[in-house]
Amino acid sequence: MATEADFIALARDSFKADGSVDMDKGDLLWSALFKLPEWYFLMTPQSKANGALAAQLIDEKVWFLAFTDPEKLRFYATRNRNLDETGNALFVTMKPMEAVEFARDSLHLSVYGVRFNEAQEHGWFSPLENLTKFPDYLQEKGLV
């Protein structure tokens, strides 16, 4: 059985406090992300009723929020009181390539990008346009 990636450690090692990025370690982070069977995208009662992903305004930009596992999503949803009437965190899952296609289809929206593991220690993000380029980039490097 494969060991689950430690996304907190991978992100911490990739994105330094001084703003610099270790590209090789960043490649490992993105590779591990794209090897997951699915990503967990936050929904809200309103977004569910509208049939759309929840979009959050953070740092003056609009983002979709994705998580590497349901526990990290539940932590965010509970912390932000972003739960349904019965106290459940709402989410949809997408396989990584489905998420890439969704990002490609969303480029015309006012959404800037995707924030991964928001409110967790060492979350990270990608603009939508960059997210659509990662599969080819990782494949060229032999990382997926």
Side-chain angles (χ1 to χ4, degrees):
M1 184 173 185
T3 304
E4 186 175 315
D6 182 345
F7 286 96
I8 292 172
L10 286 168
R12 177 196 62 227
D13 294 344
S14 299
F15 306 105
K16 303 296 183 183
D18 66 3
S20 65
V21 177
D22 182 316
M23 294 299 289
D24 291 333
K25 290 180 179 176
D27 288 350
L28 296 176
L29 170 67
W30 288 105
S31 175
L33 181 70
F34 274 88
K35 288 178 181 176
L36 287 174
E38 56 193 5
W39 301 348
Y40 298 82
F41 283 87
L42 179 72
M43 298 285 285
T44 63
Q46 182 180 353
S47 71
K48 186 174 181 177
N50 294 336
L53 289 184
Q56 305 281 316
L57 181 64
I58 301 171
D59 296 332
E60 300 180 19
K61 293 182 177 147
V62 179
W63 304 87
F64 294 127
L65 303 184
F67 298 85
T68 55
D69 61 71
E71 291 77 24
K72 287 180 179 71
L73 181 133
R74 274 191 219 103
F75 174 81
Y76 177 87
T78 301
R79 180 177 172 233
N80 292 285
R81 296 186 181 121
N82 195 355
L83 305 168
D84 70 9
E85 65 279 353
T86 60
N88 294 313
L90 298 174
F91 63 93
V92 296
T93 60
M94 288 186 216
K95 293 177 182 176
M97 290 310 296
E98 290 173 332
V100 168
E101 286 305 313
F102 178 79
R104 189 172 285 119
D105 292 344
S106 300
L107 289 173
H108 69 283
L109 301 176
S110 61
V111 176
Y112 180 74
V114 178
R115 292 176 76 103
F116 293 91
N117 292 344
E118 183 66 19
Q120 302 293 312
E121 186 177 11
H122 304 293
W124 74 101
F125 68 88
S126 174
L128 288 179
E129 186 174 348
N130 290 359
L131 190 62
T132 66
K133 297 174 183 176
F134 272 110
D136 290 339
Y137 171 81
L138 293 170
Q139 192 169 23
E140 286 172 13
K141 293 193 103 180
L143 294 172
V144 289

